[in-house]
Amino acid sequence: MRGAVPATIAGGTVVDSAALATLIADANPVLVDVAPMPHKPDDIAAAAWDPPPHRTIPGARWLPDGGKGALGAAADEWFRTQLRILTGHNRARPIVFFCHPDCWASWNAAKRAILYGYTSVHWYEEGVEGWQDAGKPTEVAQAEIPPF
């Protein structure tokens, strides 16, 4: 999922940290963090592993793996449902997807939302690290885990 990502996204808008801060202040967008769940190192027993806290932009919902390249039918329906709930069934409500810099997950999730018919999709490629580098606050988030 890591690697050079496109500079644009057809049907959506790429935002930087300053534009995202303005969007948050002016439009109350839905913020969706699609960073994958951390993987347990092989040399640590499952009972002994405590994953590191996941930091995100305040108010964001963490939907791990919503940006995988391909989703199975159940995962796709779960992701669609989460977006409907988060946007209040309003496909015109601004929605911002992000994860980490140079991570395809956020681009994939934004593209998926565009294909679902959302009309105000924003992609924040700089990710949570870019937000932190801009001197903005973060908070610890709990993952929304699909029920399957």
Side-chain angles (χ1 to χ4, degrees):
M1 295 293 274
R2 292 284 184 134
V5 294
T8 62
I9 187 161
T13 304
V14 179
V15 293
D16 61 13
S17 296
L20 179 55
T22 299
L23 187 65
I24 290 169
D26 295 346
N28 189 31
V30 173
L31 302 171
V32 181
D33 183 339
V34 293
M37 293 288 290
H39 295 283
K40 180 189 78 60
D42 292 337
D43 61 341
I44 297 177
W49 190 62
D50 189 19
H54 180 79
R55 300 215 61 91
T56 194
I57 298 170
R61 297 296 288 271
W62 182 23
L63 305 179
D65 298 329
K68 281 186 174 180
L71 295 180
D76 183 68
E77 184 55 37
W78 179 82
F79 191 63
R80 283 178 190 261
T81 299
Q82 295 307 305
L83 296 185
R84 281 193 299 267
I85 292 167
L86 292 172
T87 61
H89 297 267
N90 178 359
R91 289 187 182 175
R93 182 163 179 203
I95 187 166
V96 179
F97 293 92
F98 66 94
C99 57
H100 303 288
D102 295 323
C103 180
W104 278 91
S106 55
W107 190 91
N108 290 340
K111 193 64 175 171
R112 191 166 281 126
I114 292 163
L115 293 173
Y116 293 164
Y118 289 87
T119 59
S120 186
V121 175
H122 302 270
W123 174 43
Y124 179 52
E125 188 277 328
E126 295 173 28
V128 70
E129 291 84 356
W131 189 250
Q132 291 171 314
D133 290 347
K136 305 293 186 185
T138 61
E139 65 185 18
V140 174
Q142 296 300 313
E144 302 285 333
I145 304 296
F148 46 85

